[in-house]
Structure formats: structure tokens, C-alpha cells
Amino acid sequence: MRVGAFVLGAQFPGQGSGEALHRAVRTAEVAEEAGLDSVWLAEHHFVPYGVCPSAVTLAALLLGRTRRLRVGTAVSVLPNAHPVALGEQAALLHLTSGGRFTLGVGRGGPWVDLEVFGGGLEAYEHGFPAALDLLRRWLTEPSVGVPPGPGERYGFREVAVVPRPSESLDADADGGGPEVIVACTSPASVRLAAERLLPMLLGMHSGDEDKAGMVALWREAALAAGHPRERVLAAGHVSAGVCQLADRTADAREALLKAMPGWLKQGLDAHVTVDGRVRAMRDPVAYTELLCELHPVGTPELAADRLAATSERTGITRFALMTEGCGDLAGTEENVRRLGFEVLPLLG
């Protein structure tokens, strides 16, 4: 089982962006010290829900600060970026880190980001598959070109891929480039990832039953696409969640219920849709309570049991756990250390 920290760069009420980002960096440093497998970095724009606007930039910093830890984006929002530019950055981080970088990508939401960065609703609603395929071509082929045509967002002459991520490191992987995962929230996105044999990142709002269903659908679609059964069964899906540890489960829950609702309300209320559509936001207290029920929130023994149960029910063995839910730097560092030193040994 591979357990990592999910870093949102959450700005809690009364905090500045610098405080949130410093806590994000310290989370990664302590995660390596505590023996965690990885850190996963979220990307958001124009909202205090998460104040990291470039997951690949923060990943570069953290790869330089660490020596063993895997660093992944969870996720880079593909409709806001040119796939070639993102592919170049991913190749650079893959090669300079010795293969420790994972590129997670997602469709994002119908937010004002689409207006600011010029992608528009078309990129969000219909353009993700083509952008993903162009990104994958960049990470696996020696040169890439896209013939211009009607409705084609990206059209350019054949150009060389430099640096080539497939020139070293892992010749047994597809093309030898960085691992790519896809955030999946619907059957359509599950099938999209499965047809390309790309592992899924599954959100913290989903329980074990939902995640098991998505894994089953992914396997069915991947096999139907003709991928080898052994590779389908070995796919490294990632389950996102929340982890808060204490000597008593009641204390762990209380820590999250004190801090997270204020952060969720402030952060979710700040989202603005690009076209004025109304988006229903979750009740912050009820959502925090749900996360406490679904994920490893409690004693180290309870946390280990919940992680093991999720893995058994879903077949997922990789976890990205938000550890900053108390909103406090010292508390986050202690939480990460307890996850590494007290929970991981119980998982065997």
C-alpha cells in the first residue's frame, strides 16, 4: 500500500496565502521524513479553497526539496493550459527528478478560469479528450504535429519533442515518460481514462462503494478496448481522502469540525461560473461530517483499519490523504508524522 499526502494549499479564515503555501511545503518535507510515499498537489485559481495556481511549479520546488518522495499533480487543469506546454514541463520534471514526477490532469469545472485563460466552455465541455491525446503524444513520440482543420483548437506544423521524456529512466513503461493519471468523476471520464489505460484519481467525496463501481467500470472498458488483462488489473488508481489522527477519535473529528467548515464555506463561495450558471454548493458542516465518516479520521488503529478496508473493497492501493484539515501548521506536521510513524507500520 502506498500512502501519500494530498496538499490543497488551503487558506483557512484569517490566514494569508503565504501561510497556506508555507504549510504546503512543510507538508511535503515532513512527509518525506515520515516515510510517506508521495505528495499530491492541487491546483486552483482565484479562490482561497486552494491558493496554488500552478501544481507543476510547486511540484518543481518540492522535487528539489526532497530526494525520495514522489510528487504528483492532483490535478493540473488541462482546459486552462496548452497540452504541449504542460507536456514540456512534465518531461522536464520527469527527467530532472529521476522519474519521481506524476502528472495528474483533469477537466476542472465551469469556472471563470475558462474566461481568463481563454479556453472557454468548449474546452471544458468538449475539448478534454483531444487535449489529453495531444498531451500523451507529446510524452511518447519523438515529434508531434497537428494538421489544422475545422473545430481544431490546436493546429501546428511538426516539431521535435525536446526534451524527450522517453529517452531514459523507464524503458518498460509506455514510451518511458512520466506517469499520467486522470481525475474521474463520471462514467464518461472513467471510460475515457480506461480506453487510454490511464489510472484514475478518485475524489474524496466518494465512498468505497462508489469507488469500487468506478474501478469495475474502468476495468470493463479497458478490457473492451483491447488492453492486456494483466496491465488492466495492475493499474495504479489513486483514492483521495482526508486523514486526521488523535489519541481519541472524538478529538480527531472535533479538530476537523472546528476548522474545515469555515474553510469550505469561504473557499466554495468564492467560485464563480464562467456563464452565470447556478452551482449548488455542499453544506460545509454536513460535508465535513461525511468526510469524517468516509476516511481515516480517528486513532491510528482506526485509520489503518479504514485504509485497509477501502483497499480490500475497491482494489485501490494508492492513497492521497489531506492532512492539513486542522488548518494549523504545527498540527499538520504532527498529523503527517503520526500517519507515517504510527499508521503505516500497521498496514504492513
Side-chain angles (χ1 to χ4, degrees):
M1 196 174 296
R2 296 159 61 184
V3 178
F6 184 21
V7 177
L8 278 82
Q11 183 177 330
F12 288 77
Q15 295 179 353
S17 298
E19 183 176 351
L21 291 171
H22 175 64
R23 188 173 62 246
V25 173
R26 282 298 296 152
T27 297
E29 293 173 337
V30 176
E32 176 154 271
E33 296 168 8
L36 270 63
D37 169 76
S38 52
V39 292
W40 299 87
L41 309 174
E43 175 178 301
H44 296 90
H45 299 277
F46 322 124
V47 293
Y49 182 84
V51 298
C52 172
S54 173
V56 290
T57 301
L58 186 54
L61 172 67
L62 298 183
L63 286 166
R65 292 281 185 97
T66 58
R67 292 294 174 265
R68 176 194 55 80
L69 203 68
R70 288 198 66 83
V71 179
T73 61
V75 290
S76 296
V77 182
L78 193 49
N80 291 340
H82 194 295
V84 170
L86 186 58
E88 288 183 321
Q89 294 170 62
L92 182 65
L93 296 184
H94 174 68
L95 291 169
T96 56
S97 70
R100 290 191 289 129
F101 177 67
T102 295
L103 178 62
V105 295
R107 199 166 65 108
W111 311 125
V112 71
D113 316 5
L114 296 166
E115 175 185 316
V116 175
F117 297 113
L121 273 175
E122 174 66 22
Y124 166 71
E125 293 180 337
H126 305 293
F128 184 70
L132 178 61
D133 287 340
L134 176 55
L135 172 66
R136 292 177 66 236
R137 287 186 62 198
W138 192 266
L139 294 174
T140 57
E141 298 178 10
S143 62
V144 175
V146 179
E152 177 59 64
R153 183 182 179 192
Y154 309 107
F156 53 89
R157 71 190 69 183
E158 191 91 1
V159 292
V161 174
V162 179
R164 281 196 63 193
S166 59
E167 286 182 344
S168 63
L169 302 175
D170 187 1
D172 294 329
D174 283 343
E179 177 187 36
V180 177
I181 67 170
V182 179
C184 294
T185 58
S186 68
S189 57
V190 171
R191 293 189 183 95
L192 177 76
E195 289 165 0
R196 293 153 178 80
L197 200 65
L198 297 176
M200 299 182 291
L201 172 69
L202 301 179
M204 63 175 65
H205 59 281
S206 300
D208 290 351
E209 184 176 349
D210 288 340
K211 288 179 178 176
M214 295 175 85
V215 170
L217 176 60
W218 188 95
R219 289 175 175 172
E220 177 185 340
L223 291 171
H227 295 295
R229 183 174 184 81
E230 62 274 13
R231 296 193 63 190
V232 170
L233 296 178
H237 306 302
V238 181
S239 174
V242 173
C243 178
Q244 185 67 35
L245 301 168
D247 292 336
R248 299 191 315 152
T249 294
D251 293 338
R253 293 173 63 96
E254 182 180 1
L256 296 187
L257 284 166
K258 281 184 176 179
M260 286 186 64
W263 160 65
L264 286 166
K265 178 170 176 52
Q266 172 181 274
L268 295 176
D269 283 352
H271 283 80
V272 176
T273 56
V274 68
D275 56 356
R277 72 180 72 179
V278 176
R279 298 281 289 187
M281 296 300 180
R282 295 174 179 268
D283 175 79
V285 174
Y287 187 41
T288 303
E289 290 174 338
L290 173 65
L291 296 176
C292 288
E293 291 298 325
L294 292 178
H295 300 300
V297 176
T299 65
E301 293 77 15
L302 180 146
D305 287 345
R306 284 195 176 172
L307 290 171
T310 294
S311 183
E312 181 177 354
R313 293 168 184 156
T314 65
I316 297 172
T317 58
R318 300 167 73 187
F319 293 88
L321 302 176
M322 179 185 176
T323 54
E324 63 194 300
C326 68
D328 173 73
L329 175 59
T332 298
E333 291 185 1
E334 179 186 4
N335 200 34
V336 174
R337 289 191 177 96
R338 295 195 73 169
L339 178 58
F341 294 128
E342 299 180 41
V343 176
L344 290 189
L346 299 176
L347 296 173

